[in-house]
Amino acid sequence: MAILRIIEAPDPELRKISKPVDGVDDELRALMDDMLATMYDAPGIGLAAIQVGVEKRVIVMDISDDDDKPLPRYFVNPEITWTSEEMTTYKEGCLSVPEQYADIERHAQCKVKYLDYDGNEQVLEADGLLSICIQHEMDHLEGILFIDHLSGLKRKMIVKKLTKAQKARATL
Ligand code: GNR
Ligand code: NI
């Protein structure tokens, strides 16, 4: 297993629309293993393949509490088939937008259809943090970041901070 480099905004790679995969084979499972290791190492609760530079509709996730045993989840070619009218707001962060957090409004519940680690079709009804995280990761597959849900000014301030931090690191 390998820890992969996580791409950070404003890298244009993050704006790509990820492509469906043909099916789940050993090569894709190896990618999902590396993504999960990268996510745990970061640490984060979700990771989309495009965040490690792979343009595939693949997501890994684990929202279990640190004290509980790990509960890795794998979503291949996920599709949201239903969202609730009820909305919810949560302070989100993103491994590709380091150290920036903002309240984001999303659907409180959603249903998602996907292939699991073994390539079997699954449907999942999610609420709470799971529902939020699924919508956050689905956005990545469309090249959308959580900061895109903010007003122009708030977004610009965050992008400015990121660019400044990157420049500071580059001159070290
Ligand atoms: O680790 C993460 N935490 C998080 C918190 C609130 C809402 C969404 C997330 S996902 C994020 C990891 C990440 O960037 N996934 O794309
Ligand atoms: Ni993210």
Side-chain angles (χ1 to χ4, degrees), residues 9 14-15 51 90-106 132-133 135-140 143-151 154-155 158-159 162:
L14 293 168
R15 296 307 183 179
Q51 293 180 273
Y90 192 83
K91 193 160 252 107
E92 295 196 14
C94 179
L95 295 173
S96 297
V97 189
E99 289 164 55
Q100 307 300 320
Y101 303 89
D103 281 338
I104 303 295
E105 189 182 42
R106 297 195 188 270
I132 291 163
C133 196
Q135 291 168 73
H136 174 114
E137 303 308 338
M138 291 297 301
D139 271 356
H140 277 301
I144 296 167
L145 300 171
F146 81 92
I147 52 174
D148 299 336
H149 295 282
L150 299 170
S151 71
K154 275 188 193 166
R155 185 172 62 246
I158 289 179
V159 174
L162 288 175

Side-chain angles (χ1 to χ4, degrees), residues 150-167:
L150 299 170
S151 71
L153 185 62
K154 275 188 193 166
R155 185 172 62 246
K156 275 189 193 125
M157 277 170 58
I158 289 179
V159 174
K160 209 167 139 187
K161 274 191 207 166
L162 288 175
T163 309
K164 208 171 152 186
Q166 274 170 17
K167 278 191 185 135

Side-chain angles (χ1 to χ4, degrees), residues 90-129:
Y90 192 83
K91 193 160 252 107
E92 295 196 14
C94 179
L95 295 173
S96 297
V97 189
E99 289 164 55
Q100 307 300 320
Y101 303 89
D103 281 338
I104 303 295
E105 189 182 42
R106 297 195 188 270
H107 300 284
Q109 291 91 28
C110 67
K111 282 186 195 170
V112 59
K113 187 179 106 177
Y114 59 98
L115 302 179
D116 65 16
Y117 193 81
D118 300 310
N120 296 316
E121 259 200 42
Q122 301 285 347
V123 286
L124 175 68
E125 186 161 357
D127 71 358
L129 185 56

